[in-house]
Amino acid sequence: MAPSIRLSPAARSLFDEPLAIAVQGLGPRQQVTLRTSLRDETGELFQASARYQAGDDGELDLARCPALPGGSFSGLEPMGLLWALQPQKPFWRLVKRDVQSPFLLQLEVLEGHGERPGRLLAQAQHERAFLRDGVRRVPVREGRIRATLFLPPGEDTFPGIIDIHGLGGGLFEPRASLLANHGFATLALAYYQFEDLPQKPNKFHLEYFEEAVNYMLQHPQVKGPGVGLLGFSKGAEVSLAMAAFLKNIMAVASLNGPVAVIVIPLCYKDKTIPILTLYEHKAKGTNSNFLDYSDVLDDPFQAPGNQSLIPLEKADAQFLFIVGQDDRIIKSEYHATEVCKLLQAQGKENFQFLSYPGTGHCIDPPFFPLYGIGSHPVFHKRAVLGGELRAYSKAQVHAWSQIQAFFRKYL
């Protein structure tokens, strides 16, 4: 029997779902290399490989067989061939612009464990999709709002979440689309550098975000009485400020967000929260010539920084702070720990805190490749974002399930 690859689900799975990989028809204890490849929408190639040995029966099941040393990872890692994908072009990030089309994953089984791949024994293709059948993608251009709403299948009402991305501008849909597959009406909200939104804003007005909250609450398929917010980095900061100043915010999940205003001031009605001072000269060089920016901000818990602190004690929402212990852009663990102490001192218990070792600034949904070194969102220089491959892959899966459980509980 010729070797063949067996996948479950066979042809197509959601990007954040596990994929079971097995090879049958090998020789007893045959040594093979498995390789995965995926091209992004610009054509850049991501690859991972691992070395395996088949069982006595010629079967190789990644859920039971550990990878041997010498590949992208080793040990028992059933999803290693997906989470270990790395760009062939250095410092390139895997981004999904068009969530209506899947990524195409190529799998190959190659003979032997050599530095150069051996003969091709088997290959397969698999689609990694962002939208479950029946999920609707609705472009939103209402008033000033520029966004995309993702609605789960069916005519029911669903808990509503607004997903707010970090600095970098544009409209970012992958996380919102994946959340909709899990039963949430999710609005991916752009807030600058998109269509007719400001290109270089000198402040962000919370009234814009308030309009998005009202849009969601007026939607016939959004189950009230309030909405949840999922924010990353600057988007997390905006989400925390929305909870402090706006009504109808029930739950906020903050991914590596500062708890003070940074880079661009926030204002609401007649109040402006100034930014923490940034000291670019405090960036530290690493031994690989990248910059570590983790110490460039004023401490928001010490004057003069505390003018920039978001008054979270005013918020009625539930908070879930998710932080990477190796975040090199913001001291997110310190920010979240200290703000939880402040809330506790005021007799509040409306917060949860999840801290992940070996996890850097970017916390994406499961199985996105680690983006540990990239462009700094403010200084646009090559910066250490932080994170370590295996630890990060575990954090992604755990955090994603916790985010969904949190919103199910409070929405």
Side-chain angles (χ1 to χ4, degrees), residues 26-33 52-54 68 110-113 121:
L26 297 169
R29 306 190 70 73
Q30 184 174 355
Q31 293 193 335
V32 290
T33 299
Y52 286 98
Q53 183 169 318
L68 305 170
L110 304 156
E111 199 169 48
H113 286 170
L121 302 175

Side-chain angles (χ1 to χ4, degrees), residues 301-324:
F301 300 96
Q302 310 285 332
N306 55 20
Q307 293 302 305
S308 305
L309 203 57
I310 296 163
L312 286 184
E313 67 282 354
K314 292 183 177 176
D316 296 323
Q318 293 288 328
F319 295 110
L320 174 62
F321 295 99
I322 295 174
V323 301

Side-chain angles (χ1 to χ4, degrees), residues 197-317:
L197 293 174
Q199 284 301 305
K200 292 190 171 173
N202 54 8
K203 54 177 67 157
F204 289 131
H205 295 270
L206 285 181
E207 285 84 351
Y208 173 77
F209 300 92
E210 190 170 36
E211 214 173 302
V213 173
N214 294 335
Y215 167 81
M216 288 293 275
L217 290 175
Q218 286 157 12
H219 194 284
Q221 282 195 265
V222 173
K223 174 180 140 188
V227 297
L229 307 175
L230 173 58
F232 163 67
S233 194
K234 181 73 178 179
E237 170 212 305
V238 169
S239 301
L240 295 172
M242 289 168 73
F245 291 102
L246 308 182
K247 292 196 283 288
N248 302 318
I249 310 294
M250 312 276 286
V252 179
S254 160
L255 294 166
N256 279 336
V259 298
V261 175
I262 61 166
V263 186
I264 298 169
L266 283 180
C267 53
Y268 184 58
K269 296 182 174 163
D270 53 0
K271 180 170 175 58
T272 298
I273 307 180
I275 58 171
L276 282 180
T277 309
L278 271 171
Y279 303 96
E280 191 177 0
H281 68 271
K282 288 190 178 177
K284 299 190 289 279
T286 64
N287 51 12
S288 43
N289 292 332
F290 307 120
L291 290 164
D292 179 339
Y293 284 99
S294 53
D295 275 326
V296 299
L297 283 168
D298 257 342
D299 185 336
F301 300 96
Q302 310 285 332
N306 55 20
Q307 293 302 305
S308 305
L309 203 57
I310 296 163
L312 286 184
E313 67 282 354
K314 292 183 177 176
D316 296 323

